[in-house]
Amino acid sequence: MGAAPQNPAPVSEAELERMRHSTAHLLAAAVAALWPEARFGVGPAIKFGFFYDIEVPVAIGPKELERIEQKMRELRKKKLSFERIELPIEDAIAEMERRGQRYKVELLTLLRDKGSTAVAKETGDESVVDGAGQSTVSFYKTGDFVDLCRGPHVSVTTEIGAFKLTTVAGAYWRGDERNPQLQRIYGLMFATQEELERHIQLLEEAKRRDHRRLGQELDLFTFSDLVGPGLPLFTPRGTLLRRLLEDFVQSLQEPLGYQRVQIPHITKNDLYKTSGHWDKFQEDLFHVRGKSGEEFCIKPMNCPHHTQIFACRQRSYRDLPIRLSEVTSVYRDELPGALQGLSRVRMITQDDAHVFCTPEQVQDEALRIYQIIDAFYRPFGMQLSIRLSLWDAEKPQKYLGTKEMWESAQEQLRSVLRTRGVTWIEEAGEAAFYGPKIDFTAKDALDRAWQLATIQLDFNLPERFDLKYIAEDGQPRRPVMLHRAVLGSVERFMSVLIEHYAGAFPTWLSPLQAVVVPIADRHNAYAQSIVEKLGSVPLRSGIGGGIRAEVDDSRESMQKKIRNAQLRKIPYMLVVGDREQAEGAAAVRLRSGTDLKALPLDAIIARLQAEIETRTDQPT
Ligand SMILES: [Zn+2]
Ligand SMILES: [Zn+2]
């Protein structure tokens, strides 16, 4: 997310980063003024703001944050300049020792002994260091506060934009739990007050929509301590939602020649040793030992398995393209601290597919995939932005495959985008070593960008697994492999959708689509007959058995029942009393509060059916 679009004077990302990093200095200067004995760790700019790790003799709470913020404003007003001072590294260490800044002494020693990359890697802050191997280091002085830093900064404090301190969290020094825990103070900074306020509003809205809370409230998924963190369990409603999404992708790809396959969830390690993933990812895998002592792992991806289906018989050019698809889970041993609801899990379900084709078929296959992705995202009203990652033509040695292969493949991908008449950005040097790719980023209702769908070319796995087909001239040739994802991961996509819709799914995706509300007990039988009638409506998707409805025959008042249905985000409420029963009708209310008045049952069914089958975004 960049600056708000309505801002007439956009500030570049680089400039914002400089301002945000300078605000971190201002924060440290304020802390130093309030607690002279404070010691400082690192203070980088981050997305939307900054943080600083500090050691102070008090626990920082809301009151202290307010005091610090107040002091920051005072200092900013003084129009202090950021003055650069250069010192030989040994003098710098001595100076920081004199000031009792033990963490800075550690950083400088690390810098002297191991170079700048070690510092950046260990602390996650690149701003403390200059290029490698230098014998002097730079400091920046702001008022009385001096900080080890390479810059750049704004020239005076008044150039810092609108900021706000937000939270405090514990952070182990250099990310190591054997080290002391410092207090990490977070803040936001934007060029203007309006942008800051808008961002705070979006954060509040995001909190209100948090999928972890809504997922519980709407009974979609749960976690169990016995099963373990990062391993979500999907309830009947959540499972239905998943099936609807998977079924949608399937309905788009099946007519385009994708065939379903199924693979085991564990494999001998040999598969990943052959694919080359072993060296890179063995630490992130769950390992399993068989009775015979054979070593297995739980699959972290499906691509190597799928190559073995391609390789199981001799393939001719006439068999290509072969398009294998599967909705299946992969497992990665993420650290518990990194897990988050459905967005970061240890079990990731992929709507995976792999296409094996000739080098000349890449364009046509990529176009088919594009078609699926475009059709899939349309009903969600999410705008897609597209990025084409290319190789770095200056450094062909970094990549697998010939110049001709790369240029032809890249040109074929470009021509897909041209054919679709879309705009895209190209990034040279961003491709993986094994092939160029197209990434799709979807923007949700809160303007947040999610990288979800992708089309990735692969020259590597066919080589690794020695995949072949017999070409027209009777000679064996290497196929190209395409990886593609539409949803990305089902779990992550669900987390995005829940927050995008704030739990109020469009009718086609709602686990319960209508609730029938009888006004009195004598209307219960009629209400029940409506549920049965809705349930027997034939739907093209065939999942969930017709229109999904239930009767609310609880003892509550009608008003309360309507209110409950709204809280459960059920799109349709059908209220039935004497008159409706006599006329074969129901009074229709939408969860938005719109009152459609009494409609004949047939009209209600036609309306719901059309809405579900066309996957209309929201009932109106
Ligand atoms: Zn700095
Ligand atoms: Zn793949």
Side-chain angles (χ1 to χ4, degrees):
M1 259 195 294
Q6 66 266 37
N7 181 20
V11 178
S12 76
E13 275 304 313
E15 210 166 317
L16 271 174
E17 194 181 325
R18 195 163 61 176
M19 289 161 85
R20 285 173 180 149
H21 171 71
S22 304
T23 322
H25 277 257
L26 189 64
L27 163 60
V31 170
L34 293 169
W35 296 280
E37 64 276 50
R39 287 175 181 148
F40 297 93
V42 293
I46 51 173
K47 209 173 175 189
F48 310 127
F50 56 91
F51 70 73
Y52 218 118
D53 287 347
I54 58 164
E55 188 181 81
V56 276
V58 289
I60 306 284
K63 224 187 234 157
E64 287 74 21
L65 281 186
E66 211 170 288
R67 270 184 77 195
I68 299 168
E69 209 179 279
Q70 188 59 36
K71 181 57 88 180
M72 286 170 75
R73 295 190 197 291
E74 256 170 56
L75 292 174
R76 176 171 62 176
K77 254 192 231 147
K78 288 188 180 166
K79 216 174 174 183
L80 304 170
S81 60
F82 284 82
E83 236 176 281
R84 186 182 166 98
I85 305 160
E86 291 223 8
L87 282 179
I89 200 156
E90 294 301 339
D91 294 2
I93 293 175
E95 174 64 16
M96 283 293 126
E97 254 164 11
R98 194 182 63 74
R99 289 170 178 255
Q101 291 295 339
R102 53 180 275 210
Y103 302 112
K104 299 290 182 190
V105 171
E106 251 187 86
L107 288 181
L108 284 163
T109 312
L110 189 66
L111 184 58
R112 183 190 62 194
D113 300 343
K114 291 192 178 164
S116 59
T117 36
V119 180
K121 201 174 156 210
E122 280 203 28
T123 60
D125 184 359
E126 292 183 0
S127 62
V128 289
V129 289
D130 260 315
Q134 80 282 23
S135 53
T136 65
V137 287
S138 60
F139 283 84
Y140 277 85
K141 188 168 179 297
T142 324
D144 301 326
F145 177 71
V146 178
D147 202 356
L148 165 66
C149 192
R150 86 174 160 184
H153 306 96
V154 296
S155 48
V156 289
T157 47
T158 42
E159 286 172 25
I160 287 171
F163 63 83
K164 181 174 171 54
L165 297 183
T166 50
T167 48
V168 187
Y172 290 108
W173 171 235
R174 287 164 66 183
D176 188 335
E177 58 195 47
R178 287 164 303 186
N179 285 337
Q181 200 178 41
L182 308 182
Q183 300 190 70
R184 176 170 294 178
I185 302 179
Y186 285 98
L188 295 168
M189 201 238 63
F190 285 84
T192 64
Q193 188 64 29
E194 294 71 47
E195 284 165 283
L196 175 67
E197 276 164 22
R198 183 178 129 82
H199 186 79
I200 291 170
Q201 245 174 27
L202 282 177
L203 286 180
E204 275 160 19
E205 182 58 24
K207 213 191 251 170
R208 198 181 69 78
R209 294 177 178 226
D210 191 326
H211 77 273
R212 290 168 294 186
R213 192 175 51 75
L214 283 175
Q216 292 284 338
E217 279 176 22
L218 300 173
D219 188 20
L220 298 173
F221 60 88
T222 184
F223 288 92
S224 153
D225 285 342
L226 289 175
V227 176
L231 297 167
L233 304 159
F234 291 87
T235 60
R237 280 167 205 263
T239 306
L240 180 61
L241 187 58
R242 288 172 65 114
R243 283 179 62 205
L244 289 163
L245 293 169
E246 293 165 19
D247 177 67
F248 184 21
V249 177
Q250 181 65 6
S251 74
L252 296 170
Q253 69 188 10
E254 207 165 38
L256 295 178
Y258 281 77
Q259 295 173 293
R260 285 214 176 189
V261 293
Q262 199 162 354
I263 57 173
H265 285 225
I266 66 171
T267 172
K268 275 165 58 185
N269 295 343
D270 294 351
L271 184 70
Y272 294 110
K273 286 178 182 161
T274 306
S275 71
H277 292 112
W278 187 255
D279 292 338
K280 273 193 189 155
F281 300 115
Q282 55 171 308
E283 306 272 294
D284 304 320
L285 307 186
F286 288 106
H287 299 270
V288 184
R289 186 186 288 274
K291 245 186 228 164
S292 55
E294 215 163 356
E295 307 235 351
F296 296 90
C297 62
I298 309 185
K299 69 177 160 87
M301 59 186 66
N302 313 306
C303 341
H305 276 95
H306 285 179
T307 67
Q308 297 310 289
I309 297 177
F310 178 87
C312 74
R313 58 180 62 242
Q314 193 178 56
R315 307 290 184 180
S316 138
Y317 70 95
R318 282 186 303 264
D319 303 326
L320 303 187
I322 290 175
R323 311 178 186 94
L324 306 179
S325 80
E326 185 173 10
V327 180
T328 182
S329 301
V330 299
Y331 300 83
R332 294 183 192 160
D333 191 7
E334 301 265 9
L335 286 172
L339 301 169
Q340 207 188 24
L342 291 186
S343 6
R344 198 74 186 269
V345 284
R346 285 165 150 166
M347 180 197 78
I348 304 151
T349 310
Q350 298 177 325
D351 66 309
D352 212 356
H354 295 101
V355 177
F356 301 88
C357 64
T358 71
E360 296 74 32
Q361 290 169 332
V362 163
Q363 179 173 339
D364 197 42
E365 288 311 305
L367 189 58
R368 279 165 192 257
I369 299 171
Y370 194 108
Q371 226 173 301
I372 298 167
I373 292 171
D374 187 48
F376 179 82
Y377 280 91
R378 195 155 294 180
F380 302 108
M382 290 177 168
Q383 216 192 324
L384 293 177
S385 39
I386 297 154
R387 189 172 75 158
L388 174 61
S389 297
L390 309 169
W391 78 336
D392 181 352
E394 314 270 283
K395 295 176 187 149
Q397 72 280 4
K398 278 176 58 187
Y399 302 89
L400 198 95
T402 62
K403 184 166 187 267
E404 291 70 41
M405 277 167 85
W406 275 86
E407 285 181 348
S408 154
Q410 292 179 167
E411 197 40 47
Q412 292 189 70
L413 291 184
R414 257 190 212 112
S415 101
V416 166
L417 298 172
R418 250 181 252 124
T419 309
R420 298 292 310 197
V422 290
T423 53
W424 72 92
I425 56 163
E426 292 193 0
E427 306 231 37
E430 282 300 305
F433 76 92
Y434 52 84
K437 64 172 174 174
I438 301 177
D439 286 320
F440 298 81
T441 303
K443 221 173 216 187
D444 73 6
L446 296 187
D447 248 8
R448 296 176 299 184
W450 305 94
Q451 207 270 293
L452 302 165
T454 178
I455 307 173
Q456 165 88 60
L457 259 66
D458 191 339
F459 307 133
N460 179 46
L461 287 187
E463 194 78 32
R464 285 270 186 172
F465 287 101
D466 193 24
L467 304 183
K468 291 187 267 254
Y469 67 93
I470 304 301
E472 253 180 297
D473 60 3
Q475 295 302 308
R477 276 181 79 190
R478 199 67 86 205
V480 175
M481 187 172 175
L482 276 89
H483 308 258
R484 79 105 185 86
V486 180
L487 284 74
S489 114
V490 177
E491 288 78 16
R492 186 151 166 270
F493 189 78
M494 271 178 76
S495 77
V496 171
L497 266 199
I498 293 169
E499 297 186 4
H500 176 59
Y501 287 121
F505 300 111
T507 309
W508 73 277
L509 271 180
S510 289
L512 193 61
Q513 294 164 322
V515 64
V516 187
V517 178
I519 291 176
D521 283 352
R522 63 178 180 281
H523 308 121
N524 283 359
Y526 176 59
Q528 195 53 48
S529 76
I530 292 179
V531 167
E532 277 156 29
K533 198 161 178 193
L534 290 174
S536 65
V537 171
L539 290 177
R540 230 176 294 149
S541 87
I543 286 181
I547 298 167
R548 302 178 289 272
E550 66 181 35
V551 178
D552 182 354
D553 54 6
S554 63
R555 297 257 145 231
E556 307 287 356
S557 69
M558 186 190 74
Q559 298 311 329
K560 188 76 197 293
K561 287 178 184 179
I562 288 175
R563 180 84 194 110
N564 284 345
Q566 279 173 326
L567 285 175
R568 291 166 69 197
K569 322 243 181 202
I570 298 163
Y572 281 86
M573 285 142 254
L574 310 177
V575 183
V576 293
D578 288 335
R579 199 205 291 172
E580 287 78 16
Q581 184 165 342
E583 292 172 357
V588 182
R589 302 265 309 235
L590 302 181
R591 81 185 145 208
S592 59
T594 307
D595 186 353
L596 297 181
K597 304 278 187 313
L599 291 173
L601 221 43
D602 288 342
I604 296 170
I605 288 172
R607 184 189 162 103
L608 273 154
Q609 195 170 3
E611 211 172 90
I612 292 164
E613 292 198 331
T614 57
R615 298 188 169 84
T616 305
D617 197 20
Q618 290 291 344
T620 44

